[in-house]
Amino acid sequence: TILIVATGNPGKLKEIQEYLEETNWELQLKPQDLEIEETGTTFAENARLKAVTVAQVTGQWAIADDSGLAVDALNGRPGIHSARYGSSDGDRIQRLLRELGDRDDRQAQFICAIAIANPQGAIALDVQGCCPGEILKAPRGNGGFGYDPIFWVEQQQQTFAEMAPETKKACSHRGLAFQHLLPKLAQLQS
Ligand code: ITT
């Protein structure tokens, strides 16, 4: 069955493709000119909005991911505004480091909401994953995407950008969301 991936973010797309590799869903890209305004106030709302819109427009199953970084000392910012925090990954990282300055309280969490809509545009599945960590004072590592170089995970003693892809996959917000999603997704098709 065809499943349209409702994202324009290449980093996310790559990870989503890896999580769904062993399933029998046939992944396709969303129409490139389809821009969706994220008017929701939560990750879950925005994920549902993107999945439903793409399912309605294409008449196919659609999967969407809404994610971001919530920093405790910044009252949860950038949160759902993580993508709009700057014009490039570098910009966004620099802004976050500037706003945190040399504060000692650097606790943060990455959050990922995934929604799947059926071809009629109704939500079929809805999950969320969360990964706690700390914001470093300077970037480390070259892997991953987005805020990965400044997100330190205590248990692995690495940033997301330093981890092997399988390690990030196992412990990340998106990885945990997919651990909830995959068993339910298998049931949808049978
Ligand atoms: P789509 O809405 O088209 O999927 P987007 O980039 O606008 O793409 P979001 O609104 O969900 O997606 O914004 C997510 C932001 O959080 C974006 O700046 C990402 O770089 C960042 N982000 C999400 N997951 C991440 C991860 O695993 N590692 C690093 N940064 C991540």
Side-chain angles (χ1 to χ4, degrees):
T1 318
I2 291 171
L3 178 62
I4 313 281
V5 186
T7 182
N9 181 318
K12 269 189 197 179
L13 177 65
K14 186 160 179 278
E15 291 189 7
I16 292 170
Q17 282 170 328
E18 287 173 9
Y19 290 116
L20 295 174
E21 211 163 65
E22 315 242 298
T23 68
N24 20 5
W25 292 88
E26 183 192 329
L27 301 190
Q28 289 189 6
L29 296 181
K30 79 167 168 76
Q32 267 203 344
D33 51 359
L34 176 59
E35 298 268 354
I36 303 155
E37 203 194 340
E38 296 181 17
T39 53
T41 58
T42 62
F43 292 106
E45 262 176 45
N46 282 332
R48 289 195 290 261
L49 183 76
K50 288 187 274 189
V52 165
T53 307
V54 170
Q56 284 172 341
V57 168
T58 61
Q60 309 273 11
W61 289 88
I63 181 169
D65 165 316
D66 201 70
S67 44
L69 185 55
V71 180
D72 291 0
L74 301 178
N75 298 316
R77 289 196 312 278
I80 59 167
H81 302 291
S82 293
R84 293 162 266 179
Y85 215 46
S87 54
S88 66
D89 283 343
D91 262 20
R92 288 183 271 266
I93 286 179
Q94 286 316 315
R95 176 165 172 200
L96 189 56
L97 293 181
R98 203 168 55 238
E99 295 202 354
L100 259 183
D102 59 3
R103 300 180 70 129
D104 289 328
D105 174 16
R106 307 186 75 87
Q107 296 300 321
Q109 33 205 326
F110 254 124
I111 297 152
C112 174
I114 304 273
I116 293 193
N118 70 20
Q120 289 73 42
I123 292 299
L125 284 177
D126 211 0
V127 296
Q128 199 157 313
C130 171
C131 177
E134 267 169 59
I135 305 300
L136 292 184
K137 291 189 173 163
R140 281 177 60 162
N142 299 312
F145 67 99
Y147 297 91
D148 281 351
I150 54 169
F151 190 76
W152 175 260
V153 181
E154 181 69 26
Q155 204 183 349
Q156 264 74 31
Q157 293 285 298
Q158 282 179 318
T159 66
F160 271 175
E162 292 175 308
M163 290 178 187
E166 314 80 72
T167 311
K168 181 183 174 191
K169 214 169 147 180
C171 71
S172 77
H173 51 314
R174 189 166 296 102
L176 297 172
F178 271 93
Q179 283 177 31
H180 298 306
L181 186 85
L182 287 173
K184 299 184 187 173
L185 191 58
Q187 287 187 344
L188 268 190
Q189 268 182 319
S190 59

